[in-house]
Amino acid sequence: MGERPTLDVSFGDIHTQNVQQLRKLNEHTFPVKYLDKFYQEIPTLSKDFTQFAYYGGFVVGAICGRLEPMPDSTTKKRLYIMTIGVLVAYRECGIGRKLLEYLLENASKHPEVALVYLHVQTNNETALHFYAKAGFEKVGKIEGYYKRIDPPDCFVLCKPIHLDTTDPARITAALGLPTDTTATTAAAAAD
Amino acid sequence: MVQADGAGRSLPRKENDLFKSIVKFYETKQYKKGLKAADAVLRKFPNHGETLAMRGLVLNCLERKAEAYDHVKRGLKADMRSHVCWHVYGLLHRSDRRYTDAIKSYKQALRIDGENIQILRDLSLLQVQMRDRHGFLETRKELLRLKPNNKMHWIAYALANHLCDAKETAIQVIDAYSNSQEERSATYEDSELALYRNTILEEMGRYDEALAHLEATKPLIVDVRSWRERRAEMLLYTRRQRRRRSEEEDDDDESSTTSEEAARSAWIELLSSTEASGDNYFYHRGLQLAVLPEVSAARCREIMRTQRACELPTDAIELSFEQVERLDETYASLATRFPRGEAFLWIPLTYAPRGPAFERMLDSTIRRLTKRGAPALGSSLERLWEPKAGEVVSGRSRGREACELTLRLADAHVASLREKGRYGGDPNGGGTVLEPPTSLLWVSYLRAHCLEWLGDLEAALETIDECIRHTPSAVDLYEKRARLLKRSGDAAEAAEAMDSARTLDLADRYINNKATKYLLRAGRVADARRTAALFTRPEGGDSEMHLREMQATWYELEIGRALAARGDVGPALKKFVAVHKHFADFVDDQFDFHTYCVRKMTLRAYVSVLRFEDRIRGHAAFRRSALAAARVYLGLYDAKVSETRADAERVEPEAEITENDAAAAKARAKRNKQRQRKARAREARAAREGDNLDAPSADASKPKQQHQEDDDPEGLKLLAESRPPLVEASDLATQLAEFAPSRPETHALAFDVAERTGKILLAVRALSRLDQRCVAAKYDKLDGFYAPEAALVDRLSRFVVVFGRAALADGVVARVARTQIARLCGGGGDEEDLGKLVVAKIRAFAADSPVLPSRVAAATALARLEPAATDATAWVLDAALEEHPSRKPLGVKHFENALRALKLDIRADPETVDAFRATAARRFPRAPAFFLPDDDNNNNNKTPPH
Ligand SMILES: CC(C)(COP(=O)(O)OP(=O)(O)OC[C@H]1O[C@@H](n2cnc3c(N)ncnc32)[C@H](O)[C@@H]1OP(=O)(O)O)[C@@H](O)C(=O)NCCC(=O)NCCS
Ligand SMILES: CC(C)(COP(=O)(O)OP(=O)(O)OC[C@H]1O[C@@H](n2cnc3c(N)ncnc32)[C@H](O)[C@@H]1OP(=O)(O)O)[C@@H](O)C(=O)NCCC(=O)NCCS
């Protein structure tokens, strides 16, 4: 893209009044189409982990994370990033990083959040770079995760927050990896 | 309100006290108790007139109208010599807004008790309300004579003189009053009075005196800003006045340069007084005139008083090179002093002469504003592309030329921003700063705006789609897309698009209203209602009622039009009548000001409210509602005529009308009877309810504040209660003639009414007013042929058809008509052959006026008189291909109208109709109106919406 300016963004909540802007954003950002159910759920989630980024008065990016129970814990939670996306024209201006920072900062204020994790299509170099830069690590790969896009495989990336272990086995277990590869397809991605 | 003195009128002590208590209860709104007291008196003296009248007045407040009138009338009959009875009668009329009757009653009361202050005061209020200025003056004079100690009486008397144009006296009265004051200080009241006096001096053209008066009263002034504005304004006028005098006396006035300097710095001071004042165009007007001392005092004042919004003296004044330089210097120095003041940078663009300097300015404006993200830039630039009547265009870049230049500059920036992320086109090698992505978005948006204005709607749509791909979350872009679809003639797609834009921000009332409007334009009334209701109070009950209470005239006009278009006459009329009522309410709202403003001494504001109210019915919303309602009534009349015509043989127009009116009268009588029966039932019900109200608090509150449910949603009652359609229409035409005398549609309507009532002289009068009084309304804002001349030729031809024979008769009327029509056709020729004269006029008009709507009017008119003439269709076809070299191309509506006229009025042959249709379809490929009859599939193959 050549030289890019740095943009000062502001943040705003996603609610039922403006959630259709998220739909527009996603339609222009992701290869998969999210179902209505997804857009009904987003406004109900904690604003700490779902947020719009605004520039010049318009939504130019969004992050949607949701808290999930940890399979092996009653007190701890894991934070799943369902989507993070920035409009093509506004990429590489620091907006994605700021959205992710927003989520990570809030996560660190929640002691019950053990870790943040997400799925990335294996060929999405940009996103892999992006997350690597933010300190995420590959903890696994799920084959055939996506049904309609190619390649259908994804990596699972993870970043610890309030994790009381450094044992990779416990982490993969917490994420249901690698033994059960279908359990984590909770994301509405499909279709 | 009602005075009880001397009211005992032979009542014994006990009853007299009771009577006084009625008055008290009435004034404290304890109506229930008032009724009881009245009943107590009436038990003993059933014919006591004043008690009967008072009981009526109380009943009126309980909404028991019929009983109220009955009581008051009985009271009057029993005691014709009572001023109380007459006063009460007046109050009753007043409460029903029958002001003229109320004035008559008050005057009767005063004939009996001429010095009754209360009645005089009530009378004066009505007189000023009705703008009986001289009556008002007399009454105020009398009040001042009776009670000279009351200061309000002085002020009101001064004001009355001012309103009667007796400004000299007004000043004297103010001075007499001020001199009688012990001591003057900087109180709000003294300050306002001084400023008020000053405006009167200004209106009299005594600028030197006004200026001196300002200096003298400076210590009294509280409203310092107004004082400074007035002073700056007087400085503009006074030096010029002085200079003109000294020129006449042929000696030079040395003070003139210093006072020029004083004027300039006064305006600059105002412009820099607060953050926002740099955008105050009133100040900019002052500044420009201060910098242009060549302009006469009279012209200056006219400009300062008549220009509105962002209009500027330089729009109306041709500038010499030297003047341009002077202005440029002034703005340049202001721009450096106030870097945040956008107007200092913008305004020089608006008066710059054509040339490279203008292009540079336009270019830097585009960069500056697109960088900041100004979606309104295109609309602001339209003032260059589409100058208003009377604006200077010679030597300046205006019209298509300016729009095309904007487009070229925008194109260069789009390319450069895409490629390098920087603005381009700069001779110094392009911008150096890396732009945010929004700069590209807004330059592209401007590009779309240019293409739209130039009529290339498909290219505009493509551009806006690019914008949407760039920032798909921006509501503005979808709104623009919807508007482009509307301009393309596809109302249905436009409504879809606007409605989906609405879903992007459900909290945005603006886009919700836009979607409502677009749905209505597409005829989707039920969807529009649901959409509009989203922003009404749910607890307010019926959302339509709520919108009416909010006086949402735009909505009522739009839905009224949509309803009328699909033949829902009753509901449509209801909406138009509602708008009409809002205006009656606006006018009534003045009542509060008559007492309040004089008491609070807000005289300047008061006078401007009165003047504003004088003009309020000239507002577009009033005009439109009156016009639309009149058209509905005419439609009703025509429908009835064709019904009758189907029955009877052809009848002469005159006879037709009487017959119709007779039928209508019979129907009306029947309906009246039903109505009365219903009204009686209603009142009986209300009476029962009223009797159950016991608590005085319930009595005191306004009875039945708002009806939450509309009891007549279909407008059936409204239709039943209205007078014959022609009477209603002619009433509306009369109102329009009073309040919108310079609009062509006003006189076109007057003709259309006269044509149906068969009143030849009224028809002739409407035609000559159309000829003489009208200013051209902008073509593309109107949906009929409203250009005065187009309307004129159309109506002239109808005159020949309807009145041709009558105009040939003997007698004065016919002779006057003949002469006038001949005059309207350009004079000369044979008055005995009006048909020929009119045809010549039509041909001349068509030759002069190649634009489509004019040609359609001419062709329609010609076809009416000479069905065999072949040139009519050619006029329309030629005009469809013609492109005005500098104006904005015509909108799709004009082509739709033309096609309809070709088929129905001109009755062109199928080949011609099809040729026109094809031309229109090339220009508006999306407009269903121009699809071939079997083109439905085409319809589905359109580029899919987003
Ligand atoms: C991934 C995405 C959100 C990044 O957003 P962004 O606003 O462009 O990212 P930023 O500008 O904040 O970049 C932050 C860091 O990510 C890395 N990065 C971003 N885009 C990159 C690219 N195209 N190539 C390499 N590294 C990249 C950079 O290292 C950058 O750090 P730097 O600024 O120090 O160089 C954005 O590219 C996107 O929306 N992609 C499509 C959707 C998607 O794949 N989402 C992830 C799956 S859920
Ligand atoms: C409010 C307003 C300025 C906004 O205009 P807009 O939506 O941007 O539309 P434009 O300025 O392009 O043109 C004016 C529109 O009025 C339309 N119009 C013309 N005559 C009309 C009439 N008799 N009744 C209703 N609308 C009419 C024009 O057709 C044009 O509509 P379109 O271009 O959407 O087809 C304009 O619609 C208007 O003047 N409306 C009535 C004003 C009103 O009632 N205001 C109430 C305030 S109390």
Side-chain angles (χ1 to χ4, degrees):
Chain A
M1 270 202 187
E3 280 178 278
R4 301 292 295 157
T6 307
L7 300 182
D8 283 331
V9 292
S10 54
F11 293 109
D13 293 347
I14 306 174
H15 41 71
T16 48
Q17 310 275 56
N18 61 14
V19 70
Q20 293 309 318
Q21 293 181 43
L22 180 67
R23 191 195 288 267
K24 291 284 183 196
L25 179 102
N26 287 351
E27 280 169 7
H28 285 78
T29 312
F30 299 109
V32 293
K33 196 171 170 208
Y34 292 85
L35 300 176
D36 287 347
K37 216 176 79 205
F38 175 80
Y39 296 104
Q40 283 155 16
E41 181 188 1
I42 298 297
T44 67
L45 300 176
S46 166
K47 310 297 179 212
D48 283 351
F49 310 121
T50 61
Q51 200 71 187
F52 275 140
Y54 285 90
Y55 180 77
F58 303 131
V59 167
V60 294
I63 188 162
C64 295
R66 123 181 120 194
L67 283 179
E68 296 171 346
M70 289 276 261
D72 60 350
S73 165
T74 50
T75 50
K76 288 284 182 187
K77 297 263 165 63
R78 57 186 197 190
L79 178 54
Y80 178 62
I81 298 181
M82 294 182 277
T83 62
I84 178 169
V86 173
L87 292 172
V88 178
Y90 298 81
R91 283 184 196 165
E92 292 182 60
C93 301
I95 297 173
R97 182 169 35 87
K98 284 171 189 152
L99 279 167
L100 189 58
E101 277 166 9
Y102 173 92
L103 175 130
L104 290 175
E105 229 166 77
N106 283 325
S108 70
K109 291 182 204 147
H110 288 259
E112 76 277 17
V113 175
L115 54 82
V116 184
Y117 81 108
L118 57 113
H119 301 105
V120 181
Q121 200 180 1
T122 47
N123 68 339
N124 190 344
E125 296 294 337
T126 308
L128 289 170
H129 263 108
F130 171 79
Y131 285 117
K133 189 112 186 187
F136 281 75
E137 283 176 30
K138 279 186 201 155
V139 293
K141 181 174 172 183
I142 307 176
E143 284 175 8
Y145 177 76
Y146 300 104
K147 294 193 179 59
R148 319 247 151 127
I149 53 178
D150 193 64
D153 312 331
C154 75
F155 291 120
V156 180
L157 306 189
C158 174
K159 184 180 168 91
I161 303 291
H162 301 290
L163 200 58
D164 44 15
T165 176
T166 47
D167 178 4
R170 295 250 330 258
I171 297 174
T172 46
L175 297 176
L177 292 167
T179 41
D180 177 11
T181 52
T182 49
T184 52
T185 50
D191 203 40
Chain B
M1 283 201 114
V2 177
Q3 279 186 350
D5 57 304
R9 289 185 88 88
S10 75
L11 280 180
R13 173 93 186 254
K14 178 169 166 248
E15 276 73 22
N16 193 24
D17 286 348
L18 271 170
F19 179 82
K20 283 187 179 155
S21 74
I22 311 176
V23 177
K24 205 187 74 213
F25 288 134
Y26 165 74
E27 277 165 3
T28 51
K29 299 187 172 169
Q30 303 187 50
Y31 303 126
K32 220 34 246 184
K33 289 187 181 165
L35 280 189
K36 277 198 184 122
D39 289 340
V41 178
L42 290 173
R43 256 196 299 281
K44 278 228 184 111
F45 302 95
N47 269 328
H48 188 250
E50 297 185 344
T51 308
L52 281 168
M54 279 308 298
R55 188 169 198 275
L57 190 58
V58 173
L59 286 168
N60 186 50
C61 297
L62 293 167
E63 292 277 285
R64 289 157 66 176
K65 285 265 172 226
E67 287 175 83
Y69 274 94
D70 179 56
H71 272 75
V72 176
K73 280 185 189 154
R74 268 165 50 207
L76 258 178
K77 213 173 278 167
D79 195 353
M80 290 285 278
R81 295 287 312 149
S82 158
H83 70 267
V84 172
C85 291
W86 283 109
H87 190 191
V88 165
Y89 199 36
L91 290 171
L92 212 56
H93 283 313
R94 206 206 104 156
S95 80
D96 286 333
R97 296 183 179 179
R98 278 200 300 276
Y99 300 133
T100 321
D101 291 334
I103 288 178
K104 275 190 207 140
S105 303
Y106 289 161
K107 285 189 172 161
Q108 278 293 344
L110 287 169
R111 209 160 287 159
I112 299 156
D113 182 9
E115 303 203 337
N116 187 313
I117 300 285
Q118 186 59 53
I119 302 177
L120 281 167
R121 203 179 301 155
D122 282 351
L123 175 64
S124 81
L125 295 180
L126 281 180
Q127 285 170 322
V128 68
Q129 174 76 14
M130 296 302 286
R131 299 297 189 277
D132 172 7
R133 294 179 167 82
H134 292 281
F136 178 61
L137 180 62
E138 282 311 304
T139 311
R140 293 314 316 188
K141 190 176 186 176
E142 185 64 7
L143 278 164
L144 179 60
R145 188 183 66 77
L146 292 170
K147 285 252 151 77
N149 287 335
N150 187 330
K151 112 182 166 193
M152 272 186 43
H153 291 175
W154 286 87
I155 304 302
Y157 183 55
L159 198 107
N161 275 291
H162 183 198
L163 294 180
C164 284
D165 233 22
K167 292 175 185 151
E168 192 67 58
T169 319
I171 299 267
Q172 283 163 9
V173 175
I174 292 173
D175 290 345
Y177 164 75
S178 302
N179 292 337
S180 71
Q181 295 297 93
E182 308 274 277
E183 184 183 311
R184 298 217 281 159
S185 57
T187 61
Y188 179 78
E189 294 186 1
D190 284 343
S191 165
E192 278 303 300
L193 189 59
L195 290 170
Y196 175 60
R197 183 184 188 275
N198 200 260
T199 58
I200 303 179
L201 286 174
E202 181 212 326
E203 284 174 17
M204 297 166 79
R206 283 151 63 172
Y207 307 127
D208 280 334
E209 210 180 321
L211 193 58
H213 174 247
L214 282 172
E215 299 299 347
T217 50
K218 188 171 184 190
L220 288 181
I221 300 302
V222 180
D223 182 354
V224 180
R225 172 174 294 274
S226 288
W227 184 87
R228 286 167 60 190
E229 287 172 359
R230 294 207 60 75
R231 178 172 169 275
E233 215 186 322
M234 292 314 113
L235 282 170
L236 281 184
Y237 310 147
T238 148
R239 74 184 151 101
R240 284 165 227 250
Q241 210 174 38
R242 236 179 285 146
R243 202 184 42 229
R244 221 186 68 205
R245 281 194 212 121
S246 66
E247 270 166 20
E248 279 162 10
E249 286 154 25
D250 209 26
D251 58 6
D252 37 58
D253 175 11
E254 280 172 15
S255 69
S256 99
T257 35
T258 48
S259 84
E260 257 160 45
E261 204 33 65
R264 194 176 347 204
S265 44
W267 287 107
I268 289 180
E269 211 175 291
L270 282 167
L271 276 166
S272 50
S273 55
T274 67
E275 183 83 16
S277 48
D279 292 328
N280 185 325
Y281 271 67
F282 184 72
Y283 297 170
H284 280 285
R285 290 194 270 276
L287 175 66
Q288 288 196 340
L289 292 171
V291 178
L292 300 171
E294 300 84 350
V295 185
S296 74
R299 184 92 173 94
C300 278
R301 185 158 185 281
E302 186 206 323
I303 286 175
M304 293 301 281
R305 288 284 151 257
T306 57
Q307 285 198 333
R308 302 259 168 277
C310 292
E311 291 169 349
L312 288 167
T314 44
D315 295 341
I317 299 171
E318 269 188 71
L319 302 172
S320 68
F321 241 45
E322 193 268 323
Q323 287 174 319
V324 169
E325 267 178 7
R326 232 185 293 151
L327 286 161
D328 279 349
E329 266 167 41
T330 308
Y331 280 111
S333 89
L334 284 167
T336 7
R337 264 178 66 195
F338 308 103
R340 310 233 293 172
E342 168 58 28
F344 301 124
L345 296 170
W346 169 265
I347 290 174
L349 177 72
T350 66
Y351 62 75
R354 176 187 283 121
F358 171 78
E359 294 187 17
R360 267 198 308 278
M361 250 186 257
L362 179 58
D363 191 53
S364 72
T365 303
I366 293 171
R367 293 159 190 256
R368 190 173 69 246
L369 293 178
T370 51
K371 188 190 198 82
R372 199 184 299 164
L377 174 57
S379 313
S380 307
L381 287 171
E382 275 189 27
R383 72 181 273 170
L384 305 183
W385 308 342
E386 223 176 335
K388 281 197 270 226
E391 284 184 10
V392 176
V393 294
S394 82
R396 297 182 187 175
S397 183
R398 292 292 184 272
R400 284 187 82 91
E401 171 196 325
C403 186
E404 279 161 0
L405 174 61
T406 313
L407 181 60
R408 264 202 318 280
L409 295 170
D411 277 345
H413 290 309
V414 166
S416 172
L417 283 163
R418 273 218 192 101
E419 198 187 323
K420 297 180 285 199
R422 294 178 164 89
Y423 285 110
D426 194 307
N428 309 325
T432 47
V433 193
L434 209 48
E435 292 298 319
T438 42
S439 294
L440 173 60
L441 176 70
W442 291 122
V443 181
S444 302
Y445 188 82
L446 174 64
R447 194 172 173 272
H449 199 115
C450 294
L451 291 164
E452 173 189 353
W453 193 90
L454 293 168
D456 195 348
L457 295 169
E458 289 303 310
L461 275 164
E462 248 167 61
T463 307
I464 212 69
D465 284 342
E466 275 167 26
C467 291
I468 288 176
R469 282 194 294 277
H470 183 281
T471 307
S473 52
V475 180
D476 310 46
L477 305 178
Y478 296 92
E479 185 201 338
K480 180 67 141 191
R481 189 168 181 282
R483 174 168 295 134
L484 287 168
L485 289 168
K486 184 184 76 175
R487 299 258 154 96
S488 309
D490 192 346
E493 272 302 319
E496 253 339 292
M498 196 62 96
D499 195 49
S500 83
R502 177 187 68 79
T503 62
L504 290 182
D505 191 351
L506 298 173
D508 182 347
R509 181 195 291 269
Y510 169 79
I511 195 76
N512 196 74
N513 285 352
K514 276 280 164 196
T516 305
K517 172 175 153 176
Y518 275 55
L519 287 166
L520 287 170
R521 293 279 169 102
R524 290 167 59 184
V525 174
D527 292 333
R529 283 202 159 115
R530 261 196 301 283
T531 309
L534 294 173
F535 276 80
T536 60
R537 269 183 294 116
E539 68 276 17
D542 184 356
S543 63
E544 297 283 302
M545 293 296 286
H546 181 179
L547 286 160
R548 187 195 305 174
E549 274 163 41
M550 296 291 109
Q551 300 177 327
T553 51
W554 72 267
Y555 174 73
E556 291 171 315
L557 284 174
E558 287 288 348
I559 194 170
R561 286 213 301 180
L563 289 164
R566 65 180 201 191
D568 286 346
V569 179
L573 262 186
K574 261 189 82 85
K575 298 296 174 188
F576 300 139
V577 167
V579 175
H580 226 74
K581 285 216 183 96
H582 298 329
F583 279 85
D585 287 339
F586 299 154
V587 171
D588 260 14
D589 289 344
Q590 285 176 89
F591 253 118
D592 298 336
F593 292 97
H594 299 320
T595 38
Y596 181 87
C597 292
V598 174
R599 190 146 33 89
K600 296 286 177 191
M601 205 70 95
T602 55
L603 303 171
R604 288 179 300 151
Y606 180 54
V607 170
S608 80
V609 164
L610 292 183
R611 288 178 182 165
F612 165 77
E613 293 277 3
D614 284 343
R615 290 188 316 259
I616 196 167
R617 286 196 166 96
H619 189 278
F622 181 85
R623 252 179 12 235
R624 287 178 185 167
S625 70
L627 203 62
R631 294 269 163 237
V632 170
Y633 282 122
L634 291 184
L636 281 174
Y637 172 81
D638 291 347
K640 223 162 42 183
V641 171
S642 48
E643 238 171 69
T644 333
R645 196 169 283 167
D647 301 345
E649 295 271 314
R650 259 204 76 89
V651 272
E652 284 302 301
E654 307 263 354
E656 224 169 71
I657 285 143
T658 24
E659 198 168 281
N660 251 298
D661 278 0
K666 219 185 276 168
R668 207 158 16 104
K670 199 169 137 198
R671 275 188 247 110
N672 264 341
K673 235 181 241 162
Q674 285 171 349
R675 201 172 72 221
Q676 278 165 10
R677 228 185 353 257
K678 271 194 201 139
R680 251 180 269 130
R682 218 175 22 247
E683 294 206 354
R685 205 163 50 238
R688 277 198 302 280
E689 280 159 18
D691 284 343
N692 293 335
L693 287 174
D694 248 348
S697 62
D699 269 2
S701 74
K702 252 195 185 168
K704 286 206 224 106
Q705 252 250 338
Q706 255 122 26
H707 315 265
Q708 298 296 13
E709 294 290 319
D710 190 342
D711 59 349
D712 183 28
E714 293 301 310
L716 296 176
K717 217 160 71 188
L718 175 72
L719 278 175
E721 287 173 14
S722 53
R723 296 162 294 169
L726 274 190
V727 177
E728 295 284 355
S730 122
D731 197 35
L732 291 162
T734 310
Q735 293 185 42
L736 282 170
E738 181 177 354
F739 296 110
S742 62
R743 307 286 305 193
E745 61 269 37
T746 294
H747 307 298
L749 174 69
F751 178 89
D752 298 350
V753 173
E755 177 189 39
R756 289 168 174 81
T757 52
K759 301 249 165 67
I760 186 167
L761 282 183
L762 289 181
V764 171
R765 188 178 73 181
L767 290 174
S768 30
R769 287 181 173 175
L770 208 41
D771 185 49
Q772 287 164 6
R773 291 216 184 155
C774 295
V775 293
K778 245 194 321 189
Y779 265 137
D780 52 337
K781 290 266 167 179
L782 297 163
D783 28 22
F785 18 86
Y786 282 144
E789 246 202 321
L792 180 63
V793 294
D794 178 55
R795 264 68 178 188
L796 275 172
S797 73
R798 272 152 56 182
F799 183 90
V800 172
V801 172
V802 178
F803 298 106
R805 212 168 341 138
L808 288 180
D810 291 332
V812 191
V813 171
R815 204 170 57 242
V816 168
R818 277 199 303 275
T819 318
Q820 287 293 322
I821 298 297
R823 189 185 55 75
L824 290 170
C825 293
D830 180 8
E831 284 186 16
E832 302 297 315
D833 194 350
L834 289 180
K836 210 164 125 203
L837 286 179
V838 170
V839 166
K841 165 84 178 170
I842 294 168
R843 289 188 192 281
F845 172 64
D848 278 0
S849 204
V851 281
L852 186 61
S854 297
R855 284 291 180 79
V856 170
T860 307
L862 187 65
R864 197 172 281 134
L865 298 181
E866 289 187 1
T870 47
D871 27 1
T873 54
W875 289 342
V876 177
L877 283 180
D878 290 350
L881 296 167
E882 189 109 1
E883 198 66 85
H884 194 284
S886 70
R887 285 220 206 107
K888 180 177 177 172
L890 292 171
V892 66
K893 278 268 171 303
H894 291 288
F895 285 81
E896 290 173 4
N897 287 342
L899 183 60
R900 200 177 318 119
L902 272 179
K903 283 191 208 154
L904 303 177
D905 304 326
I906 305 168
R907 294 174 198 273
D909 55 273
E911 290 79 50
T912 309
V913 171
D914 200 57
F916 179 86
R917 190 203 51 70
T919 307
R922 271 195 301 280
R923 265 177 89 152
F924 301 100
R926 290 171 195 260
F930 310 130
F931 291 165
L932 282 168
D934 55 2
D935 224 12
D936 287 349
N937 297 338
N938 256 359
N939 202 352
N940 298 334
N941 289 340
K942 270 182 316 194
T943 2
H946 281 260

